[in-house]
Amino acid sequence: MWKLKIAEGGPWLKSGNSHVGRETWEFDPNFGTSEEREAVEAARIEFQKNRFRTRHTSDVLARMQLAKANNFSIDLQKEKDGNPINIDTATVSDILKKALSYFSAIQAYDGHWPGDFPGPLFTTATMIIVLYVTESLTITLSSEHHKEICRYLYNRQNIDGGWGLHAEGESSMLSTALNYTALRLLGENVDDGPDISMHKARKWIHDHGGATMIPILGKVWLSVLGVFDWSGVNPIPPELFLLPSFVPIQPGRLWSHFRMALFPCLIVWKKVVGPITRLVISLREELHIHPYKKIDWKEARKLCAKEDAYNPHMWLQECLSDCLYSFGEPFLTRWPISYMRKRALYQIAEFLKYEDENSQYICIGAAQKALSMLCCWIENPNSDAFKRHLARVADFLWVGEDGMKVRVCAGQLWDVAFAVQAILACSIAEEFGSTLKKAHGFIKTSQIMDNPSGDFSRKYRHISKGGWAFQVADQGGRFQIAQQKLLRFGSWGICFTYGTWFAIEGLSAVGQCYDDSTCIRKACKFLLSKQLTNGGWGESHLSSRTKAYTNLDGEKSHIVNTAWAMLALMKAGQVERDPAPLHKAARLIMSMQLSDGDFPQEEMIGSFLKNGPLCYMAYRNIFPIWALGEYQKLVFQNYQTSSIKQTNIAPSAGNAALKNSASTTAPT
């Protein structure tokens, strides 16, 4: 059985705070009772059976172990109480107490809330490719790792045989070609898998034009492995790095996630091809629809499957790419001009070393981690730096009932910061002082005590001493700043409900209110117009792509969207104007609580860069608690100050009675 380990180190690891916040998994055949092992297997079977209906896991394996450590029993059946919900202060208190008891029980001893952080479905595959190319696959991953990773990849395969960009996405060439490749590298045969999954995947690839149709990121990874030719990849001149930092096209000016993915690509481009094994030769035939030696690689540069073409190239882009490929690249690689490239690549390599050392080889995310580790291996396969990289692979592996994946990253500090605010919003927060004390200890221990080493401004870093990272202190001073635009777009959360909540909070913080702010009035009108008939809000990840509010299929509500909308409206004074929409929303959230105090895991609730999927596992607990805590304080405090004594309102009469008793009218 897989065992979750918290704040433990190991060989080749360094830490400035005793690895606080680190989460790793270890397979121990003797771990757990027979009942627990049976429960885990039942959860796996249940997920596999319902994977096309319930796309995300509930983190059963981790939460079961955490709860046991805190002497709490969780309900693996995830049943709802089914009792009618009364809107009164006693009922809300009971709901909150159950929710907080459960949430406290899944807190780790070091004060944070461990959990999955799934994102793009190709991140696991890219890590497998790097480990294979560097001949580290069997060293780093055991047979049990292989088994669980294969379980995960098969569980995430769509009905049509392909894999989507994320768990809820339609099949794409990028994810399908890379995940098929990863399964083969892990030892799966061409016709293996439940329901001939490998055959179906290969058919999907062929039916959509073969692997030459993969977008540029996939072209890079397949070229590294040796199943794509580097001449089929558009070049990006590393000489751009030599430009002064004030020049707009200087790569160092890119957003950190882009920068840390681009720079390693400049190092590996045309330099790295893994060992051409029998398996690689076989993949050349399996992935392409034409014989490998007859593929027109120059033409393949421009190919991209329609499923992956979110922003079709303009003619100017194609023209520039052709000029760079045919004329620019030959010119830049000739002496003495080639000296510029040598100098640029040296500086980029030094930059990557700096990032590795200042992030304790965790890097900024899984995709960047895999690329940086590959660059480290290129320089010296036997270096201590590469060994430190390998030791940090475990930081990204996560085991759920769907199998083992490579998480896009983790969000330990991010979640704790939200969790503390949610608990403090509750009138019964004092009853959970030990939970807050542990969380406070985690935040305190995770504070960054030093700036990045050396002249960090020249490495595109900022002052970090005294601040906090997104994940853990060892990651270094990277601040994740979500920029929100009122009613236009929300980053990191989905999407308009999230952005509107942040905007109202921000406007309120500078003294604006509903009465004197047109923006806040428009924001409230917008949110109220999106409330569903069941009282909730349910926003699809498609909102992030289309930049237009899109409901979930079937007008389904989402507990986190509902909580965000409640928090925004309450901050804007909705209680005083017309609390009826809040009563409907609160009743919906309370009715969704499960028997052990948990709330159901629903569709993904995070997104970045329009198509970047994220699923914050702790949000299903944090934001319902926060919304109900504020609701209890604001709503019932408002009634008391109005000398209204409405203590037990039946569900059938709740909305009308509370609305009438508050003597308020809806805004115009």
Side-chain angles (χ1 to χ4, degrees):
M1 183 170 164
W2 287 93
K3 179 181 180 181
L4 177 62
K5 301 167 69 177
I6 302 296
E8 293 193 19
W12 297 105
L13 294 175
K14 293 193 300 183
S15 175
N17 67 346
S18 302
H19 300 286
V20 167
R22 186 171 189 245
E23 306 161 354
T24 55
W25 290 86
E26 177 184 79
F27 184 77
D28 182 350
N30 299 316
F31 179 69
T33 65
S34 59
E35 291 79 10
E36 289 167 345
R37 289 193 286 271
E38 289 173 3
V40 168
E41 189 59 30
R44 288 169 173 162
I45 294 171
E46 186 69 14
F47 179 84
Q48 196 274 337
K49 183 173 64 176
N50 298 303
R51 67 190 185 280
F52 298 123
R53 185 178 62 191
T54 304
R55 292 287 188 168
H56 300 285
T57 70
S58 297
D59 252 354
V60 168
L61 276 73
R63 292 190 169 199
M64 184 174 72
Q65 293 179 36
L66 291 164
K68 180 181 180 181
N70 289 311
N71 299 313
F72 185 92
S73 177
I74 65 173
D75 179 11
L76 295 179
Q77 301 302 317
K78 297 298 180 185
E79 296 178 350
K80 298 180 182 179
D81 285 337
N83 297 321
I85 300 297
N86 294 322
I87 299 290
D88 58 70
T89 186
T91 302
V92 178
S93 292
D94 289 343
I95 293 286
L96 281 172
K97 189 166 185 177
K98 283 180 63 177
L100 286 168
S101 296
Y102 174 88
F103 193 51
S104 296
I106 59 170
Q107 185 183 29
Y109 77 88
D110 67 354
H112 84 285
W113 280 267
D116 196 0
F117 199 97
L121 289 184
F122 59 81
T123 52
T124 300
T126 57
M127 189 68 78
I128 297 301
I129 290 173
V130 170
L131 293 175
Y132 183 86
V133 168
T134 61
E135 299 180 327
S136 308
L137 188 59
T138 56
I139 298 172
T140 309
L141 304 179
S142 68
S143 60
E144 291 295 333
H145 285 88
H146 287 222
K147 177 182 175 182
E148 287 304 316
I149 293 172
C150 289
R151 185 200 306 275
Y152 166 74
L153 293 175
Y154 284 133
N155 271 330
R156 292 305 175 185
Q157 189 175 22
N158 289 335
I159 294 176
D160 63 5
W163 282 265
L165 182 62
H166 51 83
E168 298 173 30
E170 297 178 354
S171 297
S172 69
M173 184 61 75
L174 177 63
S175 291
T176 303
L178 291 181
N179 285 327
Y180 175 88
T181 299
L183 283 165
R184 292 287 282 123
L185 298 180
L186 288 167
E188 295 296 283
N189 293 317
V190 291
D191 292 320
D192 277 353
D195 193 26
I196 57 171
S197 302
M198 295 295 283
H199 173 79
K200 289 169 65 177
R202 194 166 56 255
K203 184 177 186 302
W204 192 98
I205 294 169
H206 291 177
D207 289 348
H208 292 79
T212 53
M213 303 298 290
I214 200 169
I216 186 168
L217 179 61
K219 286 175 165 63
V220 169
W221 280 114
L222 293 183
S223 297
V224 166
L225 181 60
V227 298
F228 204 92
D229 196 279
W230 278 114
S231 60
V233 184
N234 277 322
I236 304 172
E239 291 81 1
L240 293 173
F241 189 80
L242 298 177
L243 294 171
S245 59
F246 60 80
V247 178
I249 60 172
Q250 217 279 6
R253 296 171 59 91
L254 292 171
W255 181 43
S256 57
H257 283 269
F258 280 165
R259 185 171 67 239
M260 291 308 301
L262 174 62
F263 284 2
C265 287
L266 298 177
I267 295 289
V268 304
W269 189 73
K270 279 198 171 181
K271 278 189 173 183
V272 181
V273 177
I276 307 303
T277 62
R278 290 183 179 180
L279 178 55
V280 169
I281 293 172
S282 180
L283 281 167
R284 288 178 174 180
E285 304 304 318
E286 295 168 33
L287 291 171
H288 299 289
I289 59 175
H290 300 295
Y292 188 77
K293 293 184 179 180
K294 294 184 178 180
I295 294 174
D296 184 347
W297 295 110
K298 184 176 180 179
E299 182 62 26
R301 293 181 303 115
K302 306 176 183 180
L303 300 179
C304 181
K306 62 181 178 63
E307 292 80 5
D308 297 71
Y310 294 107
N311 294 299
H313 288 178
M314 297 181 292
W315 69 270
L316 180 60
Q317 285 177 281
E318 297 288 356
C319 183
L320 288 173
S321 294
D322 287 343
C323 290
L324 183 60
Y325 184 88
S326 300
F327 305 107
E329 192 61 20
F331 173 74
L332 291 169
T333 53
R334 289 183 179 178
W335 176 261
I337 303 298
S338 60
Y339 173 76
M340 294 173 57
R341 172 155 300 185
K342 184 178 180 180
R343 182 183 172 200
L345 290 174
Y346 173 78
Q347 291 189 14
I348 292 170
E350 290 300 304
F351 172 83
L352 292 175
K353 290 179 188 177
Y354 180 88
E355 286 293 324
D356 286 345
E357 292 168 0
N358 279 273
S359 68
Q360 300 289 5
Y361 297 86
I362 299 173
C363 303
I364 197 172
Q368 297 84 354
K369 160 75 175 177
L371 286 163
S372 294
M373 184 164 66
L374 181 62
C375 291
C376 192
W377 176 81
I378 293 169
E379 181 172 302
N380 184 354
N382 299 312
S383 67
D384 288 354
F386 181 62
K387 293 172 184 175
R388 295 188 191 284
H389 255 302
L390 287 177
R392 284 292 186 181
V393 170
D395 293 51
F396 290 89
L397 301 177
W398 187 262
V399 182
E401 54 265 42
D402 58 343
M404 175 179 280
K405 65 180 72 63
V406 173
R407 295 183 292 181
V408 62
C409 64
Q412 293 95 322
L413 272 162
W414 185 259
D415 285 347
V416 171
F418 276 141
V420 168
Q421 294 177 77
I423 296 170
L424 291 175
C426 301
S427 60
I428 57 173
E430 290 184 359
E431 297 180 29
F432 297 89
S434 61
T435 302
L436 289 169
K437 184 177 181 180
K438 287 198 296 183
H440 171 263
F442 178 81
I443 295 172
K444 184 177 180 180
T445 308
S446 300
Q447 189 172 24
I448 297 168
M449 306 309 294
D450 294 295
N451 289 321
S453 61
D455 188 358
F456 53 84
S457 63
R458 293 180 63 86
K459 303 294 186 182
Y460 311 103
R461 286 274 196 155
H462 300 280
I463 293 171
S464 58
K465 185 177 182 179
W468 285 268
F470 180 72
Q471 298 178 224
V472 292
D474 286 339
Q475 188 190 25
R478 294 191 187 280
F479 295 92
Q480 308 293 327
I481 302 173
Q483 296 178 345
Q484 309 300 337
K485 298 181 180 178
L486 178 57
L487 298 185
R488 291 186 180 180
F489 196 64
S491 297
W492 302 114
I494 295 175
C495 165
F496 292 93
T497 43
Y498 183 74
T500 303
W501 170 47
F502 267 74
I504 289 177
E505 288 278 356
L507 291 170
S508 300
V510 296
Q512 296 192 35
C513 65
Y514 185 91
D515 293 332
D516 59 23
S517 172
T518 302
C519 289
I520 291 181
R521 289 196 296 273
K522 288 173 64 179
C524 291
K525 182 178 180 181
F526 171 82
L527 286 175
L528 291 170
S529 72
K530 303 302 180 184
Q531 190 173 23
L532 302 171
T533 55
N534 68 355
W537 282 260
E539 190 177 0
S540 167
H541 67 88
L542 295 175
S543 292
S544 299
R545 184 192 300 181
T546 63
K547 296 188 179 181
Y549 190 99
T550 307
N551 283 319
L552 291 168
D553 289 343
E555 300 294 294
K556 182 180 180 294
S557 63
H558 194 295
I559 195 169
V560 179
N561 284 132
T562 302
W564 286 339
M566 282 186 69
L567 288 166
L569 290 170
M570 287 187 289
K571 191 68 177 183
Q574 187 67 32
V575 172
E576 291 78 15
R577 292 187 302 277
D578 177 16
L582 299 174
H583 302 325
K584 291 178 66 178
R587 175 174 288 115
L588 175 69
I589 290 177
M590 291 191 290
S591 70
M592 295 177 72
Q593 189 177 48
L594 304 176
S595 58
D596 58 5
D598 192 9
F599 291 94
Q601 180 64 46
E602 298 178 293
E603 291 80 1
M604 69 179 189
I605 199 62
S607 181
F608 68 100
L609 300 176
K610 297 193 295 184
N611 300 312
L614 296 171
C615 188
Y616 301 89
M617 287 295 177
Y619 278 20
R620 76 177 195 252
N621 304 103
I622 292 171
F623 288 103
I625 289 171
W626 196 340
L628 290 178
E630 293 288 355
Y631 172 79
Q632 184 186 38
K633 287 194 299 186
L634 292 174
V635 171
F636 292 104
Q637 179 182 351
N638 185 58
Y639 296 156
Q640 290 170 0
T641 57
S642 303
S643 299
I644 298 170
K645 296 181 179 179
Q646 188 76 24
T647 58
N648 189 17
I649 301 171
S652 60
N655 292 336
L658 281 171
K659 181 177 179 180
N660 293 336
S661 66
S663 300
T664 57
T665 57
T668 58

